[in-house]
Each structure stands twice: as C-alpha cells, then as structure tokens.
Amino acid sequence: MEPQQPQQQQQPQRGDWARVPASCVARRTHNPLRTIVEELAIQPNPDKHFIALSIGDPTTFGNLRPAPEVVKALHDSIDSGSYHGYGPSVGHLEAREAVARYSSTEKVHVEAKDVVLCSGCSSALDLSITALASPGQNILMPRPAFPLYRTLAESIGVETRSYNLLPENDWEADLNHLESQIDENTAAIVVCNPSNPCGSVFKKQHLKDMLSIAARHKLPIIADEIYEHMVFPGHEFHHLASLSEEVPILSCSGLTKRFLVPGWRMGWIIIHDRNGLFDKEIRKALLSLSQRTIGSNTLVQGAIPAILSNTPQKFFEDTIKVLQDNADLAYDILSEVKGLRPVMPQGAMYMMVGITVTLFPEFSSDLDFVERLVSEESVFCLPSQCFNYPNYMRLVLTVPKEQMEKACKRIAAFCQRHHQDYLSKRISSVSIT
C-alpha cells in the first residue's frame, strides 16, 4: 500500500498584483499646510529677488546662527567617542538630568525620570498625542494652529476639534468656545504658548483660566512650549505647569527654536504630574512609544549638558532683538496699508496679518492674494488657510532686517495697486478717456 501523502493546506488566494494597499494610518495622514503650499502657483517675478517670509526655520537666511558654545558642545560630544551607539530609548541619564535642571523653576521641580528625549518637538507632540488619545476620541487644538497637531491626531483615528483664538484680544483663547468643544470623548487639550502662528504670549491669568477648564473636566493638557522664553521685553512667559498643582501636563519643547538648531532634531517631553495621575499608564506608554524609534540623536544628547549650561544669556537677547526689531518694522509699515490688519506679536517668530479681502476685489481669498503677491513682488507669506483661519497671512520675522523692510514695502505697494480705491480711480480714468 502506498503511504498516504500529507494533504497540502490550501493557501488563500490574494488576487493579482494590481495594487498593494496602503495602511489605514498612511491613508489618514494628511498635512494641510504642505497640501495647500504645494497646490499654490508659486512663480516669483524674475525681475525681483525672492524673499520667503514663509519658512519657520530661523537658520534659513544665515543671519541667525547657533552660539559658538552650542557648536563646541557638539564637537566635544563627537570627540569624546562616547555617543556613537544606541542609548536608552528615553535618553541618556546625564542628558535628561540636564534638561530637568533647565526646566525646573522655583515652583516646579523636574527630575530626570520626568524627561523623555525625542527626535525634535514634533516627535514629542507625536508621542504625547498617541499616549493620551485613542481612536474614536478627540483632542482640542487652537484655531489658528500649527497644523501638525491635526496631522498627528487624525493619522491614528483621533478627531481634532478647534477652539477659537481672538485676534482682537492678542490671540487669547475664547474660553467659552473652548469649553463648548469638550464632550465625554475628549482626551486632552493642546495649548500652544508662545504661539505659532500668532506670536502671542498668554498672560498668567489667562493660562489659569484655561487650567480651570481642564481641571473642571478632568482633562490633561499637552503644552506646546517650543518657543518658551522667546518673548519680547515687556511680556513674560509662564510654564503652564508652574500655575497648577492639579492638572497633569505633558510639556513639549526642545533645542530647535531658542538655540537655533532645528536640524539637530532634539526635543523632549516634561511630565508634570504632582498627583501621580500619569503613574499607572501614561509614563509606561511614553516609554513604550519611545522604544519604536530607539531614542533620539545620541551625539546631541552628549552635548545637551554643555549647551544648556554654557550658552550665554546675551545670545538669547540678541536673537530676541532681531525678532522684535523685525516685528516693529513690519507693524509700522503694514499698519499704514489700507486693507491690512497686522497683529503685533509678543514673542515667538511670527506675525499674523489680517487681509480685508473685500477691499481687494480681484482676489477671492487669502490664497489668491498670496499667489499674486508672489508673482508680482516675489514675496511669499503663508496663507492662513494653512492654519485653518482664512483671510490672514503669516509672516516669519527671522529674515535680515533689510530684507524685512524690502518685503514689507513690496507688500504695501502691491496692496496699493490692488486696493478698491486705486482700482476705482483707474476704471474711472479709463472711462473718461
């Protein structure tokens, strides 16, 4: 008798190679800023030098550079030979200790165990949102807002709800509107202070009012504080965590902006949790999530203690002076332009400028306005639809002063040409002729 052959298991048919489907996360990932910018017809006037007031990278123009002490710290880290390999997923202990010292205040004591090092502040925001919110839940974010919050949340199936910021109140949050967006599925509130794109710096009482809402609804806060201390004279930055003993907060920051090294990709999360509300699950969640990328840049980690302790105060003051001088210059010029409403910033690197579109009848939106501004004057500002807030544009304040002045004068000339008063006179002149 022939031995019985084992039956071969029938393999499921997978069809042909017509396509390889993308994952749900990939299909849900969408960056509205990139989408809008890539669809704009950006064709500068070839007869005019192109000035980009659109890029949130302070190093782009070469006038703002990291302090020599910062560069030396990285050289020393490389030369030490101690940071070429993998480190702990949350970061080397000495680097986390340095960040803890840097982030501690008279009212808030931070320890190394409260610090998670990340690959830039964007990664810190990613880990924070992913740790706190699950598919089907929602998080609250400001409007206008840095669009990455939406990109990160919606990619994992988390809804974003916007609460309004008020330009007439220096972009403070509409507290009633904020509270009205909260429901039983809300997982966290995102607070960006100092603000991108608004350049606002919230007053202490306003932050306390926001914290009161969070406490009333038992909601943690994700504090985007990457522009911490980048504040103009006469204003004061307050860490959210210094104003509450009740609300648990994940504060996201890093070296990127204040130290002028965005490409070094070094950010961090500071866990502020005086009542142990994050102890059971969130601390473990952040550790687990950080293990997906096996930690941040170890060479920069090796430099962090020297960077945070050796960078002179004058370096920060000089950077702030450049930003404020440009803000003053832009505000002085643009506030005299019919149809524009600049809102004077209090810090960060940006100014929002309102556009009364009805006074420019050739344009249907801020997108049209920006496209024509580029084609005629070779000045590129981001349309505020990138930040879910139409009829404004965002100016970056990090350019050299002479370029800032030239750009603002070009904007003024452009507005004068296209303002309805000028157009009416031109039409009347043609009709008479």
Side-chain angles (χ1 to χ4, degrees), residues 326-339:
N326 277 340
D328 290 339
L329 175 64
Y331 186 83
D332 288 346
I333 295 174
L334 299 180
S335 61
E336 298 295 322
V337 177
K338 290 182 179 181

Side-chain angles (χ1 to χ4, degrees), residues 9-68:
Q9 189 171 358
Q10 195 79 10
Q11 295 295 320
Q13 297 299 310
R14 297 181 63 87
D16 57 23
W17 281 94
R19 69 183 182 94
V20 177
S23 70
C24 294
V25 171
R27 290 197 300 269
R28 288 192 297 248
T29 299
H30 167 72
N31 188 321
L33 189 157
R34 295 295 178 188
T35 300
I36 291 171
V37 169
E38 288 172 6
E39 291 179 354
L40 287 173
I42 304 300
Q43 296 182 347
N45 184 336
D47 297 327
K48 295 186 177 183
H49 171 68
F50 182 63
I51 304 174
L53 301 183
S54 57
I55 306 170
D57 180 345
T59 69
T60 298
F61 293 87
N63 57 318
L64 294 175
R65 298 176 178 273

Side-chain angles (χ1 to χ4, degrees), residues 46 71 110 120 123 140 155 163 169 188 206 234 240 264-265 310 313 329 361 367 417 426:
V71 176
V110 179
S123 174
L140 307 190
S155 69
Y163 60 88
N169 290 350
H206 188 61
L240 261 180
W264 290 14
R265 310 311 301 140
N310 296 345
Q313 182 62 28
L329 175 64
L367 297 176
R417 283 198 306 275
R426 191 171 66 182

Side-chain angles (χ1 to χ4, degrees), residues 193-194 201-202 207 225 227-231 235-240:
N193 178 54
V201 180
F202 290 155
L207 290 170
E225 297 180 329
Y227 295 97
E228 60 180 336
H229 309 300
M230 293 183 73
V231 175
H235 303 279
E236 186 176 0
F237 168 72
H238 301 278
H239 286 103
L240 261 180

Side-chain angles (χ1 to χ4, degrees), residues 257-391:
K257 306 296 184 174
R258 193 182 187 211
F259 293 85
L260 306 180
V261 287
W264 290 14
R265 310 311 301 140
M266 181 52 62
W268 51 72
I269 301 168
I270 308 295
I271 302 169
H272 298 283
D273 180 28
R274 302 188 192 185
N275 299 308
L277 299 173
F278 284 157
D279 284 353
K280 187 174 181 180
E281 293 191 20
I282 300 303
R283 287 179 182 269
K284 182 180 178 182
L286 291 172
L287 171 62
S288 298
L289 291 169
S290 70
Q291 290 171 346
R292 294 192 303 180
T293 55
I294 322 179
S296 59
N297 188 314
T298 54
L299 292 173
V300 182
Q301 287 185 42
I304 282 179
I307 290 173
L308 297 181
S309 61
N310 296 345
T311 305
Q313 182 62 28
K314 187 177 184 304
F315 166 77
F316 303 124
E317 293 170 354
D318 289 347
T319 302
I320 291 296
K321 186 176 188 310
V322 169
L323 299 175
Q324 182 165 33
D325 285 351
N326 277 340
D328 290 339
L329 175 64
Y331 186 83
D332 288 346
I333 295 174
L334 299 180
S335 61
E336 298 295 322
V337 177
K338 290 182 179 181
L340 297 186
R341 304 181 313 279
V343 182
M344 184 65 187
Q346 300 153 344
M349 312 186 320
Y350 311 104
M351 173 185 286
M352 288 284 274
V353 179
I355 306 168
T356 306
V357 176
T358 54
L359 296 180
F360 301 98
E362 295 175 85
F363 312 126
S364 62
S365 68
D366 56 299
L367 297 176
D368 291 342
F369 185 98
V370 164
E371 282 185 341
R372 285 285 292 277
L373 179 60
V374 174
S375 65
E376 293 183 22
E377 296 292 346
S378 291
V379 175
F380 182 30
C381 307
L382 277 186
S384 60
Q385 287 192 36
C386 293
F387 309 103
N388 191 28
Y389 202 85
N391 298 331

